[in-house]
Amino acid sequence: MIIGGVAFVYENWIGHALIAIISLLLMVYALTTGATLRGRIKRGSGNAFKLHKKYGIYFGTFILGSFIYGLWIRLQHGESILLSVHGKLGLVILLLVVLQVIPSLILKSRARYRELHKTLGYALAPVLFIDASWGLYNGVISGTKNLVLLHSVSGGLASLVLVWIILELLYPKDRSLSRVRVASYLAVFFVTAGCWIAGGYNYLTSYSSQVKPIILEGPYPWAHEIIMEMKEHVFVFLPIIVLALSITLSILDKNNFLDDAKLRRALTMISFLALFMVLLMFLMGAIISNAGQIGTEGLR
């Protein structure tokens, strides 16, 4: 019903993106309950197995719906879904979901299948975030440049890693500190290399000379005057916040990490702030790129 409603309201890439975002949220919850079952994060109240199964089915359903919706959009334009990297990644994701969900529902003895199920689940996360980032930017600006695409995909992976950090902080176990350190190093890499270096280089070499004048002359000059100005400030502080978080986690003592709830709460808030900033940059980038595309079409 949700997929049908979105498809009815948005007969374009926006509907596909909304369905993909819902799928991402369901995937995060399914991964969380799965990690709880494996003992990687602390168990809460409730039946984790039933929740994992329930939201795994929801996740698989939304992935299937998103793929069908994307296929429908492609067919409306007379295009094959396999002509784009986004479409190929979508097909890979669908196959991974089928291989993960269907056997787990059919097999009575899941002991032999458990490791493969876990591997497929963890493999799905980065692939889905990459595909969602790729698809959103291709939807906003067709034929996007490689640097912009790298900037977008890095932001998606950074957000995934920050979610990982938040979960480890909220549900600490004996090995959580070592895992959260690795996650923080990855966050620093994705934010610095993809969001900062690639994004900054594209801003200096391409955006300032080509896109900015088009936006200012187009119908939405505020996309640069307000949104880009905001993004520039977030752009400056985001790597500093993520780096400070990583340094703090790297020097933390294991006992302090496990015993000091206030410390973990503070680190969790910082991680949420970094995640919010990444997602905000993603949204602002989409608005700016869309304004540039509209301005370009107006000049034709």
Side-chain angles (χ1 to χ4, degrees):
M1 290 178 64
I2 295 175
I3 295 174
V6 172
F8 179 77
V9 176
Y10 299 104
E11 295 184 5
N12 52 29
W13 68 270
I14 297 177
H16 186 54
L18 289 175
I19 295 172
I21 290 171
I22 296 173
S23 299
L24 287 172
L25 295 175
L26 290 172
M27 180 202 67
V28 169
Y29 193 83
L31 283 174
T32 303
T33 53
T36 301
L37 287 172
R38 296 292 295 170
R40 295 182 68 88
I41 61 177
K42 187 177 180 180
R43 284 179 180 258
S45 59
N47 191 319
F49 175 75
K50 288 185 177 180
L51 289 173
H52 181 64
K53 180 179 178 181
K54 177 181 178 181
Y55 282 92
I57 293 173
Y58 289 164
F59 169 62
T61 302
F62 267 89
I63 288 295
L64 177 61
S66 180
F67 183 81
I68 294 174
Y69 186 75
L71 179 62
W72 175 52
I73 293 175
R74 282 284 184 174
L75 291 176
Q76 283 186 324
H77 294 85
E79 301 172 348
S80 172
I81 196 168
L82 295 180
L83 288 178
S84 67
V85 176
H86 178 57
K88 292 175 182 177
L89 285 174
L91 182 59
V92 170
I93 291 169
L94 180 62
L95 292 175
L96 288 175
V97 170
V98 170
L99 290 173
Q100 188 191 36
V101 175
I102 300 300
S104 64
L105 296 176
I106 296 176
L107 297 176
K108 293 183 178 180
S109 177
R110 302 183 181 90
R112 295 181 179 179
Y113 180 69
R114 190 171 294 150
E115 288 301 318
L116 179 60
H117 180 81
K118 181 185 73 172
T119 302
L120 291 173
Y122 286 134
L124 266 172
V127 176
L128 185 57
F129 268 85
I130 291 172
D131 190 48
S133 305
W134 198 305
L136 180 58
Y137 259 85
N138 279 334
V140 176
I141 45 173
S142 56
T144 183
K145 295 185 177 181
N146 291 334
L147 276 177
V148 180
L149 186 58
L150 175 61
H151 181 56
S152 172
V153 171
S154 297
L157 292 174
S159 62
L160 174 62
V161 174
L162 286 168
V163 170
W164 177 12
I165 293 173
I166 291 169
L167 291 176
E168 295 286 3
L169 291 170
L170 289 175
Y171 306 101
K173 298 281 286 186
D174 288 340
R175 297 180 59 188
S176 290
L177 182 57
S178 60
R179 291 196 296 263
V180 80
R181 283 173 176 169
V182 173
S184 70
Y185 301 151
L186 290 173
V188 170
F189 172 76
F190 288 129
V191 168
T192 304
C195 299
W196 217 17
I197 297 177
Y201 183 80
N202 179 73
Y203 180 90
L204 294 174
T205 59
S206 178
Y207 177 84
S208 296
S209 60
Q210 300 175 23
V211 182
K212 176 182 173 181
I214 293 175
I215 294 177
L216 292 176
E217 294 176 7
Y220 306 114
W222 53 265
H224 173 79
E225 296 170 346
I226 299 176
I227 304 299
M228 179 54 82
E229 290 295 327
M230 291 173 57
K231 189 179 181 186
E232 288 173 2
H233 286 80
V234 176
F235 171 85
V236 171
F237 288 104
L238 176 60
I240 298 173
I241 292 174
V242 174
L243 180 60
L245 175 65
S246 180
I247 293 174
T248 303
L249 289 169
S250 65
I251 62 177
L252 261 184
D253 178 74
K254 181 179 179 181
N255 292 329
N256 289 336
F257 175 80
L258 293 174
D259 299 335
D260 195 337
K262 291 183 178 180
L263 174 62
R264 290 199 313 274
R265 191 179 303 117
L267 293 173
T268 303
M269 295 302 296
I270 295 173
S271 302
F272 269 117
L273 174 62
L275 177 61
F276 172 74
M277 293 172 76
V278 170
L279 297 177
L280 185 62
M281 284 188 69
F282 214 101
L283 175 61
M284 291 188 293
I287 294 172
I288 294 164
S289 299
N290 192 45
Q293 183 184 25
I294 293 174
T296 302
E297 292 174 353
L299 295 175
R300 292 175 182 174

